[in-house]
Amino acid sequence: MKNILDFNLEELSAWMLENNESKFRAKQIFQWIYKSSVFNYENMKNISEKTRGNISKELSLYLPNIIKEQKSEKDGTKKLLLKLEDGNIIESVIMQYKYGYSICVSTQVGCRMGCSFCASAIGGMVRNLTPGEIIGQILVAQNNINDRISNVVLMGSGEPLDNFDNVIKFIEILNSKESLYIGARHITMSTCGIVPKIYELADLEYQITLAISLHSPKDDSRADMMPIARKYTIKEIIDSCEYYYNKTKRRISFEYALIKGVNDSKEDALSLSKLLNKFPSHVNLISVNEIKENTYKKSDSLSIEMFKNTLIQNGIETTIRRKMGEDIDGACGQLRRNHMENFS
């Protein structure tokens, strides 16, 4: 049975007509789901019992189930472990800022990219998430906090550009006035750098923020951390980012996880500065998440400050990412990984 959350408004309107229902019913259902947070057809009282019955026989309204929740005592960050209809497990992270709530959503069950510093990649990729499974994470989160999510980051488990069609449809539903109506400039998509898909995304001219997981200015050391670097060189990634900027006029963000003795030298910072001078960019420095599956260690505070200052002195806007949920399994993939180990 198809999940109604996988439909955009146009598709649901067409389905209504094909099943001898009035087209406007689609907009009513969207209002119930996305504006009123009603996830049971029986409670959609302005729709006749007969119509509700016809729809429920053909279209499920399924949301992921929260099977575990962690909340940080330091900053209130919440991590949700979610069970999908087929039993697969994903996770989402809700972060509270002064401007409101932000959510980091997963786009795949697992990940095939194999980045050595990321717990999501351990065990590989199981399958892509549907648009409804991605947007379902937001609906569940809003119910959990009893408040509106205002910003969405596609930076959870999975590589968004490896699930391109479903992710694009998710963004279109998310951005729709009839749905959650979260503006494109409040959406960030993180990618390890699938170059052809960056060009394809650029041609759509969405006003979302593109965040590139770079983590090294050198192809050889990047390839040690990220297998995708063996397919696409840093030059190819930078060229695609320049194309993206020229198409969208949106500043590119670069994620850089600092690893002690691996990519945190002044030489690395100078090399990175030279790479990023072709278009407006921003570097987000991150302390690498230490996981038991590798030996990576966080850079010390002096190295991090040196790296930041070197980039700024060379004209690159740079910030050090505030660590959220440090006292819980806050890093991408850790909660799911621990759950899978406990039940294996």
Side-chain angles (χ1 to χ4, degrees):
M1 185 182 288
K2 292 182 179 180
N3 189 348
I4 202 167
L5 297 182
D6 288 323
F7 286 69
N8 59 33
L9 184 60
E10 183 180 355
E11 290 170 337
L12 188 56
S13 298
W15 186 94
M16 292 294 172
L17 291 175
E18 289 168 5
N19 288 272
N20 302 313
E21 298 290 347
S22 298
K23 180 180 177 180
F24 73 89
R25 294 297 184 197
K27 186 172 287 189
Q28 287 181 318
I29 291 174
F30 259 55
Q31 288 281 331
W32 281 113
I33 294 172
Y34 295 111
K35 306 300 185 186
S36 301
S37 299
V38 171
F39 308 122
N40 187 319
Y41 292 126
E42 290 301 312
N43 294 329
M44 299 179 182
K45 298 304 182 183
N46 62 347
I47 300 173
S48 72
E49 185 176 349
K50 180 183 177 183
T51 297
R52 295 198 307 261
N54 290 339
I55 296 169
S56 63
K57 288 176 184 176
E58 300 293 332
L59 302 176
S60 68
L61 205 177
Y62 185 85
L63 291 177
N65 289 320
I66 299 175
I67 60 173
K68 187 173 183 179
E69 176 182 332
Q70 293 181 335
K71 184 173 181 179
S72 169
E73 295 182 2
K74 291 183 177 180
D75 54 37
T77 296
K78 281 189 175 185
K79 189 145 199 179
L80 305 180
L81 194 66
L82 303 171
K83 189 174 184 179
L84 302 175
E85 193 168 13
D86 65 357
N88 274 304
I89 304 296
I90 58 171
E91 56 189 56
S92 306
V93 182
I94 309 167
M95 297 155 285
Q96 186 174 15
Y97 299 95
K98 291 179 181 179
Y99 56 75
Y101 285 97
S102 180
I103 186 170
C104 180
V105 297
S106 296
T107 55
Q108 296 176 315
V109 180
C111 183
R112 78 168 94 232
M113 296 298 110
C115 300
S116 59
F117 50 81
C118 180
S120 297
I122 299 165
M125 202 268 279
V126 178
R127 68 169 177 86
N128 288 327
L129 296 186
T130 69
E133 288 172 330
I134 304 172
I135 207 162
Q137 295 170 63
I138 303 173
L139 297 174
V140 167
Q142 289 188 153
N143 254 17
N144 182 267
I145 60 175
N146 196 30
D147 207 339
R148 183 176 185 271
I149 297 289
S150 58
N151 290 266
V152 176
V153 182
L154 289 85
M155 202 179 286
S157 296
E159 162 57 56
L161 294 185
D162 191 37
N163 186 17
F164 189 85
D165 291 342
N166 286 338
V167 164
I168 293 304
K169 187 174 181 182
F170 156 75
I171 291 173
E172 290 173 350
I173 296 172
L174 184 67
N175 192 224
S176 167
K177 288 182 180 180
E178 287 76 20
S179 176
L180 294 176
Y181 200 29
I182 295 178
R185 294 193 175 205
H186 294 272
I187 302 169
T188 298
M189 182 189 297
S190 175
T191 176
C192 64
I194 302 179
V195 168
K197 293 299 180 182
I198 295 175
Y199 283 103
E200 196 172 339
L201 180 64
D203 287 337
L204 295 174
E205 299 186 23
Y206 290 164
Q207 289 296 291
I208 67 174
T209 297
L210 180 65
I212 305 293
S213 295
L214 196 63
H215 307 308
S216 177
K218 304 170 186 174
D219 283 315
D220 53 354
S221 62
R222 188 169 190 264
D224 289 338
M225 294 184 278
M226 308 175 70
I228 193 72
R230 298 171 197 143
K231 188 168 186 178
Y232 305 113
T233 65
I234 291 174
K235 182 183 183 307
E236 289 175 311
I237 291 174
I238 297 300
D239 287 348
S240 70
C241 288
E242 185 174 15
Y243 181 84
Y244 186 92
Y245 172 76
N246 289 334
K247 276 283 190 176
T248 65
K249 302 305 177 188
R250 294 287 288 160
R251 183 184 71 172
I252 312 292
S253 180
F254 290 88
E255 307 290 321
Y256 197 99
L258 287 161
I259 305 171
K260 186 175 183 178
V262 175
N263 63 352
D264 62 347
S265 69
K266 186 162 188 174
E267 178 190 353
D268 290 321
L270 290 170
S271 297
L272 185 61
S273 301
K274 291 176 184 177
L275 274 178
L276 305 183
N277 60 9
K278 293 184 177 181
F279 47 83
S281 60
H282 167 258
V283 173
N284 205 358
L285 297 177
I286 311 159
S287 293
V288 71
N289 291 305
E290 296 180 0
I291 59 176
K292 62 186 179 182
E293 285 80 10
N294 65 49
T295 58
Y296 293 150
K297 298 297 180 185
K298 298 176 181 178
S299 298
D300 58 59
S301 57
L302 287 177
S303 296
I304 294 171
E305 283 298 323
M306 175 277 298
F307 205 96
K308 174 188 172 183
N309 292 336
T310 301
L311 290 175
I312 292 173
Q313 289 163 10
N314 284 274
I316 306 299
E317 186 175 337
T318 306
T319 54
I320 298 171
R321 182 192 285 175
R322 175 186 166 199
K323 295 287 283 186
M324 303 288 281
E326 278 191 296
D327 55 329
I328 58 175
D329 293 316
C332 181
Q334 285 188 341
L335 182 56
R336 174 179 177 266
R337 177 65 176 169
N338 291 340
H339 175 83
M340 300 301 286
E341 285 181 346
N342 289 336
F343 288 89
S344 62

